[in-house]
Amino acid sequence: LVFTEEDKYGLYSNLLFKYFLAEGVVCGHELFVASAKEHPDNILKELPAPLLDDTYKNELGEEATAIKSEDFQDSMKIAWRYQNLPKMEASPTTSTKFGHYYDISKTMSPELFPSIKWHSFYLPEELSLQPQMKTCNMNSAYARLLQSIQRIVSQEGFDGSDPQKKQKNILRIGIQSLGSLLWGDDICSNDTPEDVHSLTKFLYVLRGLLRKSLSACIITVPAHLIQNKAIMERVTNLSDMVVGLESFIGSERETNPLYKDYHGLVHVHQIPRLNSLICDVSDTKDLAFRLKRKLFTIE
């Protein structure tokens, strides 16, 4: 369960969300997309186009040539006896490729979609279909979303406790802006909410469901709207990985010369350490992201 704290305007967290889903399409996984704000069909239409190996090398090649010319000038300055020493690799080489790269200036071609199965959950539509339901102190939007996920896990053969008849696949679940007012959650709006445990109960059940099924889930949450810090603590404890995005738009850091090359910071609050009571804490505290013309990079 990857929990992403949205940046103030939701620009970059939305991009991260789409990267997660795009990787699912390229790997042939099954998708489940839930949102109360944007229709899942529109989210899928806007997924970034994958860069095939050749195009990716070209993209990198342009940047590499610029770096090489700098290196040459540097080597002129370095004393000759140091030149034959092995050079430390500052960034991972292109040969150690993990996952796929995407071009955010283009959208994914529709030909890739027929090959995968995907399910959508658009809250306004779901609420109009069925009357209100409230289960175990959970508000109706969360209860309905949970039912939907449970149904797909059991019917589509992702349940780990049930022997599989079909070829195994992975279900990628993406839930956008959970905890916002659109989900009928009151943690953002009031100091004394009537049903403050809705979000934590939902995450508790969802995490149990993920543990016994072949699935992975990303959730984005507008954490800057949640005043109650105790809830954020609980939510962090209920997630496996917690990442926060802080955008420089409109903040004094935008004009800070230290951050001039970047568009925001990435805070890694928690890294998964499965089947252990304590979580792993990242050593690297200074990660920043920037949006180039085609690539979104975290450095």
Side-chain angles (χ1 to χ4, degrees):
L1 178 59
V2 181
F3 183 88
T4 313
E5 296 175 5
E6 292 178 10
D7 51 290
K8 205 178 269 182
Y9 301 105
L11 288 174
Y12 302 108
S13 55
N14 207 9
L15 204 55
L16 213 58
F17 185 73
K18 285 173 181 165
Y19 262 93
F20 177 84
L21 297 174
E23 187 68 16
V25 174
V26 174
C27 295
H29 297 160
E30 209 162 303
L31 300 184
F32 176 89
V33 187
S35 177
K37 181 169 62 173
E38 209 180 337
H39 200 288
D41 298 7
N42 297 342
I43 294 175
L44 288 170
K45 275 180 198 150
E46 289 167 9
L47 295 187
L51 281 172
L52 301 165
D53 287 355
D54 325 334
T55 43
Y56 174 65
K57 282 186 184 122
N58 293 347
E59 290 290 315
L60 274 190
E62 290 166 20
E63 283 171 34
T65 45
I67 294 167
K68 267 190 190 129
S69 64
E70 284 171 27
D71 281 357
F72 177 68
Q73 287 161 354
D74 287 349
S75 69
M76 300 295 278
K77 295 172 201 160
I78 299 173
W80 62 270
R81 62 197 174 118
Y82 294 132
Q83 278 198 358
N84 298 330
L85 287 175
K87 194 171 177 189
M88 287 298 289
E89 195 62 60
S91 61
T93 50
T94 48
S95 58
T96 58
K97 187 168 161 294
F98 175 76
H100 298 85
Y101 296 91
Y102 298 90
D103 179 349
I104 48 181
S105 63
K106 298 192 187 92
T107 53
M108 195 176 275
S109 70
E111 292 106 63
L112 288 169
F113 286 108
S115 59
I116 62 145
K117 270 185 89 170
W118 60 279
H119 315 270
S120 67
F121 178 98
Y122 184 51
L123 188 63
E125 279 175 9
E126 298 288 328
L127 291 176
S128 61
L129 290 175
Q130 300 166 321
Q132 290 285 85
M133 56 182 260
K134 198 164 182 171
T135 51
C136 64
N137 303 3
M138 207 185 290
N139 77 18
S140 67
Y142 290 160
R144 213 157 275 167
L145 176 57
L146 211 49
Q147 261 193 346
S148 240
I149 297 172
Q150 274 168 330
R151 191 180 66 245
I152 285 158
V153 164
S154 62
Q155 287 176 7
E156 302 291 328
F158 294 105
D159 193 343
S161 55
D162 197 25
Q164 302 299 310
K165 311 273 190 300
K166 65 181 201 51
Q167 191 185 355
K168 284 187 176 175
N169 197 357
I170 288 169
L171 177 68
R172 271 184 192 241
I173 303 166
I175 307 172
Q176 194 185 46
S177 285
L178 201 72
S180 75
L181 283 171
L182 295 169
W183 288 93
D185 205 326
D186 40 21
I187 50 175
C188 294
S189 61
N190 202 338
D191 293 336
T192 53
E194 52 155 56
D195 192 12
V196 58
H197 300 297
S198 264
L199 180 63
T200 45
K201 274 186 182 144
F202 170 79
L203 288 176
Y204 187 76
V205 181
L206 175 67
R207 191 173 169 185
L209 195 62
L210 293 175
R211 282 288 184 275
K212 68 178 192 71
S213 65
L214 301 167
S215 54
C217 175
I218 189 171
I219 292 174
T220 71
V221 172
H224 57 278
L225 296 177
I226 299 173
Q227 302 302 318
N228 190 335
K229 291 290 169 272
I231 288 184
M232 285 313 294
E233 284 287 316
R234 280 184 218 147
V235 164
T236 302
N237 290 338
L238 286 168
S239 309
D240 296 311
M241 177 153 187
V242 183
V243 180
L245 295 181
E246 181 193 335
S247 160
F248 292 157
I249 300 172
S251 80
E252 67 271 13
R253 286 184 168 170
E254 200 170 14
T255 52
N256 186 331
L258 180 66
Y259 298 123
K260 69 178 189 304
D261 296 334
Y262 300 102
H263 294 117
L265 298 175
V266 178
H267 304 290
V268 181
H269 299 305
Q270 187 170 298
I271 300 173
R273 187 184 276 176
L274 295 183
N275 306 323
S276 165
L277 290 174
I278 54 163
C279 71
D280 202 357
V281 179
S282 161
D283 300 335
T284 332
K285 294 276 185 265
D286 50 349
L287 289 173
F289 62 81
R290 61 172 155 178
L291 195 56
K292 296 174 187 168
R293 195 164 48 90
K294 293 185 174 181
L295 302 170
F296 174 77
T297 56
I298 294 173
E299 298 170 9

